[in-house]
Every structure is written in C-alpha cells, then in structure tokens.
Amino acid sequence: MQHIFIINPHAGKKDQTGRIYEMADRLRQHGLTCQCLLTQRSGGAEEIARRLVSSGEEVRLYACGGDGTLNEVVNGAAGFDNAAVTCIPIGTGNDFLKNFGPDAAKFTDAENLWDGEVHPLDLIDCNGRQCLTIACSGIDARVAESVHELGDSPLLSGRGSYLAAVAVNFLFRGIGQHWRVTLDDEVIEDDFALVSMCNGRYYGGGSTPVPEARMNDGVLHTVLVKNISKLRFARLFPDYSAGNHEKLPKDVVRFSTAKVVRIHSDNGDIVTCLDGECSHSHDVTLRLADKKLNFFGPAGCDPNATVR
C-alpha cells in the first residue's frame, strides 16, 4: 500500500510543506511507502488523486490543505474501492473536521492517521461533482464566493473578509432569486433566499443548519428558505445557523429529506458552493451518493461525534 500526501503549498497563512515532509519521513520509519506530491494549480489535487487511484493499487491519500483541497481529492478518489482518503488541516477553512468533535485535533499529525479505521461516508452528488458536507445555493453561497474574492485583497483577511462579504451582499445586492425547486416529484416555484443540502453539519465557519445530519446514514437533509426582507432574514439567521428548527417560522423555512432536489433558474445564475468551492449554473441537481467515499481517521474517531 502507498501513502501519498497531496499538498497544497498555498493553503493557510504560511507554507507548511516542510512539516508535511517531516510527517512522511516519520511514517517511513514504520516501513511504509510514502510520497509527497505538491499541487501546482486549482484542480491539481483532483488530477493527482484520480491518476493515483486509477492504477488499481491500494492507496491512502492525505489531503493537506483546507476544505477545498479535501474536496478536490475526494472528487478524484470517490467510488474507487482501492482508495481511502483523509485530511491534514493546514488551510484557512476546515469545517469538515468539526464533524469529528474533539478528535479533530488528532488529524494534524499523520502518526494518528496511517493505520486508522476506514469509514464509508455518503456524499452529495451535485451536477456530477461530489460534496462531503454541505451544498448550498443562494445568498450563503454568494457570501462564500465573495469571501474568496475579498480574500485576495491585501487589506482584508480571515474574519475581516467574511464580514466584508456579508456587508457587500446584504447592503448592495438582493437576497432572493426566483427558482423552480423540485423535491423528488413535488415542484415549488417561488422566490428563495437559499437552498442547502446537508450531509455533514458545518459550513461557513461553523454554522450548523441541520445538527442532526449524519454522514453515513443514507439520508440527506435539505433546508429551503424563502425570500424575505433583509431585516427579517438578519433576525432569523442566528437560529438558522444554530440549527434551532423549533424557532424558525414554517411559512419561511422548510426541511426535507427528498432523495433528489433540483433547482432551476430562468433568470440569472445560481451560485452553488460545495465544501467552500463555488460554481455558476442555471440548473442544479442534488442527489445522494451512498457510501461513495472511503475515509480513514484516528482510532475510535466518529464522523457523527457532534450530532445533536
């Protein structure tokens, strides 16, 4: 078996490539075959992962970066029985690991990972792309996209970029869009602020819209929020973010466990965010990819450790 570290050298505030190389050296002391590969561009981690798993050889892949790097490696390795994936968090955003609760800290050291148990995890298939945690469309996805754009500014970083992104979208852009949303066979045409499908529990720096979501139960939870005034949205968002369903008005927020969700827009792009990575389209189809990913982690870890 090979152990391959796929490293995004641009992840996080400083290059941690040297630290990852040191981890690989320590694993070699266990007699393991280890290799470190650096990504050169966006999408590079996916290309590397797909090339490695396509050989048919048994391989364990370590995604070294943030949620975006992990998403790329997952898209390259999903569906291959000979491959298992884990992550070493060195990025600015690591919402996925929050699902593991206190064990999230153990993922920082490969010594805790190399012989870990494999967990088959569900994924969300979105127009052929795979998503580990939450696939969101609407205002929350547009904020995420703005965070990426503002993150390139030398004047803003981290929390400052997020607050600026929220301000830009709430002050200068409308919240809602007119969509036709299909939940299995039910069609709803209305103005929506957002539609989010949840496999995991965390996104946007720690929001938990569906705290009961489990990553291996074959059930995806979708939240639909209708368009409302900016003031009312601001008042409701804390309870949406905290997953306080009982405090959310049923005429505005709806929860569904539909197996297939389709979103269509006749006017304007739908911005969709998968594990922090954004795309534009007029049609979005979301469906369960049951037990599509082999994920390994520290001994005794649980991807549903923080389920409420």
Side-chain angles (χ1 to χ4, degrees), residues 36-291:
C36 294
L37 300 174
L38 273 63
T39 63
Q40 303 297 325
R41 61 186 180 280
S42 177
E46 180 177 348
E47 294 172 7
I48 293 171
R50 184 171 292 114
R51 171 170 52 82
L52 290 167
V53 302
S54 296
S55 70
E57 183 178 352
E58 192 172 359
V59 62
R60 287 198 163 192
L61 303 177
Y62 301 72
C64 306
D67 286 327
T69 303
L70 175 60
N71 178 269
E72 288 190 13
V73 174
V74 166
N75 271 275
F80 285 84
D81 292 337
N82 59 303
V85 174
T86 194
C87 59
I88 296 176
I90 61 173
T92 53
N94 299 288
D95 281 323
F96 168 72
L97 287 183
K98 293 183 175 73
N99 292 286
F100 291 84
D103 282 334
K106 297 180 181 179
F107 284 85
T108 59
D109 189 347
E111 192 67 47
N112 300 323
L113 303 173
W114 66 273
D115 58 349
E117 180 183 357
V118 173
H119 301 265
L121 298 184
D122 299 330
L123 297 175
I124 302 169
D125 183 300
C126 176
N127 290 358
R129 297 287 300 171
Q130 305 302 315
C131 174
L132 262 171
T133 50
I134 295 180
C136 59
S137 298
I139 181 62
D140 46 356
R142 299 202 302 274
V143 167
E145 185 174 52
S146 296
V147 168
H148 285 299
E149 294 168 351
L150 293 168
D152 294 331
S153 169
L155 302 177
L156 294 170
S157 63
R159 185 66 175 171
S161 295
Y162 179 77
L163 293 175
V166 171
V168 166
N169 281 274
F170 274 80
L171 295 178
F172 305 111
R173 301 173 186 171
I175 293 179
Q177 292 178 279
H178 191 79
W179 293 339
R180 184 167 64 252
V181 178
T182 305
L183 306 173
D184 290 334
D185 296 323
E186 180 188 359
V187 179
I188 308 166
E189 189 157 349
D190 210 329
D191 293 335
F192 290 91
L194 62 88
V195 175
S196 292
M197 178 177 274
C198 304
N199 180 45
R201 294 171 294 284
Y202 301 91
Y203 81 139
S207 291
T208 57
V210 184
E212 64 269 30
R214 296 176 177 270
M215 304 189 74
N216 54 10
D217 64 352
V219 178
L220 300 178
H221 300 261
T222 300
V223 188
L224 300 88
V225 180
K226 291 185 179 181
N227 187 36
I228 50 180
S229 70
K230 293 179 180 179
L231 179 59
R232 192 178 185 196
F233 187 91
R235 288 173 175 168
L236 293 179
F237 188 79
D239 283 322
Y240 164 84
S241 180
N244 296 326
H245 301 175
E246 70 283 356
K247 297 182 179 181
L248 297 170
K250 291 180 172 56
D251 62 320
V252 174
V253 183
R254 176 175 173 179
F255 295 87
S256 171
T257 54
K259 295 184 181 299
V260 180
V261 176
R262 295 183 175 89
I263 310 169
H264 174 78
S265 172
D266 288 324
N267 301 300
D269 281 352
I270 303 167
V271 181
T272 299
C273 189
L274 310 178
D275 299 331
E277 300 301 301
C278 299
S279 63
H280 292 242
S281 67
H282 288 279
D283 289 279
V284 177
T285 300
L286 305 153
R287 66 180 78 238
L288 172 70
D290 188 44
K291 307 297 185 296

